[in-house]
Amino acid sequence: PKDALIFDLLGTIDDLSSIIGMVRSICSFPSVSKDLETIQCCLFEMGACVAAKNRSSRFIFDDSSLILTLE
């Protein structure tokens, strides 16, 4: 259903990624911009896992390195 938690989560991940993209577009510090890009990539992977209900052969959200990268 449209009010399922999964859609709320996917929307929240997309919103966060969009905000990070806006910040990157005005960021004048290359190292910070690169860190933000890395976070966006991680969020994309997380969104793919959520959308595939963690059944995708390409994206499996049980990677502790991904979590450490985000932290």
Side-chain angles (χ1 to χ4, degrees):
K2 288 185 177 185
D3 63 345
L5 184 59
I6 191 168
F7 294 117
D8 187 44
L9 177 58
L10 288 171
T12 300
I13 291 170
D14 284 346
D15 287 347
L16 178 56
S17 183
S18 295
I19 291 168
I20 290 172
M22 290 189 325
V23 171
R24 282 183 59 212
S25 73
I26 61 170
C27 182
S28 58
F29 300 100
S31 63
V32 172
S33 184
K34 182 63 180 164
D35 288 343
L36 292 173
E37 180 183 13
T38 300
I39 292 169
Q40 277 186 301
C41 290
C42 291
L43 290 172
F44 179 77
E45 290 185 37
M46 288 172 56
C49 289
V50 170
K53 297 183 181 177
N54 216 23
R55 291 187 302 235
S56 170
S57 60
R58 183 170 174 204
F59 300 110
I60 300 173
F61 191 63
D62 64 357
D63 183 1
S64 61
S65 66
L66 178 62
I67 295 168
L68 290 174
T69 299
L70 285 172
E71 287 177 344

